[in-house]
Amino acid sequence: MASLSSDLFYDILRRLDGATLASAACACATFCSISKEERLWENVCSSMWPSTDRDDVKSLIMSIGGFKKFYADCFPLIVNEVPEFRWNDDFEYPEELTEAEYYGDVDELENISPLDFVSIMDIRYKDKTICSKVLWGIPNADGFNGWFYNCPFRIDLLAYSDKVTLTVSDGLPPIMSIEKERKDGKLWQELQDGIRLSWIIVNRKIKKAANLSSWSPLGGQRHWPTDKDFVVRFASILPAKDILPCQIVECILIMKFRVIHTQGEGIQTIIKLTELSMQLEDMNGSHVNGLKSLLILKAALSCRRSMNHNEALESCNLYLKVQTELKEKKMRYENRLDRLWILGGIATCISFCFYCL
């Protein structure tokens, strides 16, 4: 190897993916030195996330530390431990909140702005990129006293993107009729197995980035009331310590497809992406408002991540399990209260009747 030129080594390393390139850098001093070239990591990032091939995004990545740091931040997925959550039956919300309690830490808010965030999104189907989009800032976040800070947080990325469709030529199975698809579910299964989503959030001010998607779908379903809509769900578990009582929240990414055409004479099966959105929910299933969401997104950029994507999926599944158990406990508690009220009402009526007699 000592007789080979560094140009040849560079030509070999530039053909590797990110994980293999990182491993090769540990093999010898020569590979380690060459692997520090930003151009190598730029090729890796543009291959993994085609949206990073834009000039404005390249400038953004270089301003936050370069492509090697960007890959190290965004390829591992966010992983958070799901703590044991207990429903507090005695908790009461105060009737009135002071301005400080309502808006949180004002000094913290002065250091965070919706304009600091950049969304970098890529969708793949069977290893083929079907959509790439970059969104600068958070839409409709127009000032401290605007509705954004008090209303449920939501980013609808499709409103700022071109029409996205999938056809048989992209690898979709042909659908002869919706009735047949309802029975065998072949299209739905192929869509769930083949679709991949990357949604990277960058904060330009603190120069950090993270991927908020689970990469693979966590699940999905046909969307009522028609069988033409398919909803695919991605997610990640984000820390909310000192922000919300539940300590963690779920970042939910929803992708909805609709069947436009079924297979017929001269017409192939076509489905259209009709929704791509992000929202945050707490353990009770309540939407987090814009103010708290900004703080949570900022905190998420510094939390633990794992190269093992299955670990991230397990974290999401554990969150759903704990959330389901919490809802069941809450329902049982409310049912007990209902029965107590009914028994109390009956006892009151009987007592009143005896009093009248």
Side-chain angles (χ1 to χ4, degrees):
M1 291 182 62
S3 64
L4 300 178
S5 68
S6 59
D7 291 337
L8 180 59
F9 286 145
Y10 180 90
D11 188 62
I12 294 172
L13 294 181
R14 73 179 181 84
R15 303 171 189 274
L16 305 179
D17 58 38
T20 309
L21 178 59
S23 298
C26 302
C28 64
T30 302
F31 281 1
C32 181
S33 176
I34 298 175
S35 67
K36 295 178 181 179
E37 292 286 337
E38 277 294 302
R39 183 62 183 172
L40 285 175
W41 292 101
E42 182 179 343
N43 292 338
V44 168
C45 290
S46 62
S47 176
M48 183 75 183
W49 306 292
S51 53
T52 61
D53 204 27
R54 295 173 29 162
D55 291 338
D56 54 351
V57 179
K58 289 181 180 179
S59 300
L60 170 66
I61 294 174
M62 294 305 298
S63 70
I64 65 173
F67 285 92
K68 184 177 181 180
K69 178 179 181 295
F70 182 81
Y71 182 88
D73 288 341
C74 300
F75 180 76
L77 299 182
I78 292 176
V79 175
N80 278 289
E81 293 184 2
V82 180
E84 182 180 357
F85 189 86
R86 296 181 180 177
W87 180 258
N88 187 355
D89 299 330
D90 300 323
F91 180 80
E92 294 181 0
Y93 288 95
E95 294 181 359
E96 294 184 1
L97 296 175
T98 64
E99 184 177 358
E101 290 173 331
Y102 186 80
Y103 287 110
D105 190 345
V106 177
D107 294 334
E108 179 72 16
L109 289 176
E110 292 176 353
N111 296 324
I112 190 169
S113 167
L115 298 178
D116 296 337
F117 293 92
V118 181
S119 292
I120 302 175
M121 184 276 302
D122 292 281
I123 304 175
R124 290 175 178 269
Y125 180 70
K126 294 186 176 180
D127 294 328
K128 177 183 177 182
T129 301
I130 61 173
C131 180
S132 294
K133 180 65 181 177
V134 178
L135 186 62
W136 298 84
I138 296 178
N140 302 318
D142 52 353
F144 181 80
N145 293 319
W147 64 268
F148 169 81
Y149 288 92
N150 305 323
C151 293
F153 173 81
R154 178 185 172 93
I155 299 179
D156 191 352
L157 199 57
L158 200 61
Y160 308 91
S161 180
D162 298 330
K163 183 175 70 172
V164 180
T165 58
L166 282 173
T167 64
V168 173
S169 58
D170 296 315
L172 280 180
I175 303 177
M176 305 310 297
S177 68
I178 294 296
E179 290 74 17
K180 184 178 180 181
E181 166 58 24
R182 189 188 299 118
K183 295 178 180 178
D184 56 33
K186 188 176 180 180
L187 172 65
W188 159 241
Q189 192 61 48
E190 287 280 343
L191 187 63
Q192 187 175 6
D193 293 342
I195 204 73
R196 298 291 181 266
L197 172 65
S198 170
W199 192 318
I200 296 172
I201 288 288
V202 180
N203 187 299
R204 291 181 283 180
K205 195 166 189 177
I206 64 175
K207 301 183 184 301
K208 291 183 179 181
N211 198 333
L212 302 184
S213 175
S214 54
W215 187 239
S216 302
L218 293 176
Q221 61 184 12
R222 290 187 179 88
H223 189 258
W224 187 87
T226 70
D227 290 326
K228 292 186 176 182
D229 292 324
F230 299 85
V231 178
V232 186
R233 182 177 174 277
F234 302 80
S236 59
I237 308 303
L238 308 183
K241 187 177 181 181
D242 301 327
I243 301 175
L244 292 174
C246 59
Q247 304 296 309
I248 55 174
V249 299
E250 185 179 24
C251 177
I252 302 174
L253 309 175
I254 295 296
M255 192 183 297
K256 184 186 293 185
F257 290 89
R258 170 168 292 182
V259 177
I260 303 300
H261 294 296
T262 55
Q263 201 77 5
E265 294 185 4
I267 301 176
Q268 62 178 350
T269 301
I270 301 176
I271 63 173
K272 176 183 176 182
L273 181 63
T274 59
E275 180 182 331
L276 179 58
S277 62
M278 174 196 293
Q279 56 191 16
L280 272 60
E281 286 188 0
D282 64 15
M283 190 66 80
N284 294 322
S286 301
H287 296 291
V288 182
N289 65 23
L291 172 63
K292 300 296 184 183
S293 295
L294 291 183
L295 298 176
I296 292 171
L297 289 177
K298 182 179 179 181
L301 300 181
S302 303
C303 68
R304 188 173 77 89
R305 297 156 216 201
S306 174
M307 297 283 287
N308 184 0
H309 290 185
N310 289 329
E311 188 177 352
L313 294 176
E314 290 174 3
S315 176
C316 294
N317 292 330
L318 180 58
Y319 179 93
L320 293 176
K321 180 181 178 181
V322 173
Q323 187 181 47
T324 301
E325 293 175 353
L326 174 64
K327 290 180 179 179
E328 291 175 351
K329 290 180 181 179
K330 184 179 178 181
M331 290 179 62
R332 287 196 295 268
Y333 172 75
E334 291 177 346
N335 289 335
R336 287 197 299 268
L337 281 182
D338 290 341
R339 288 194 293 269
L340 288 174
W341 279 107
I342 293 172
L343 292 175
I346 293 173
T348 302
C349 291
I350 294 174
S351 300
F352 181 75
C353 292
F354 276 111
Y355 176 78
C356 292
L357 294 176

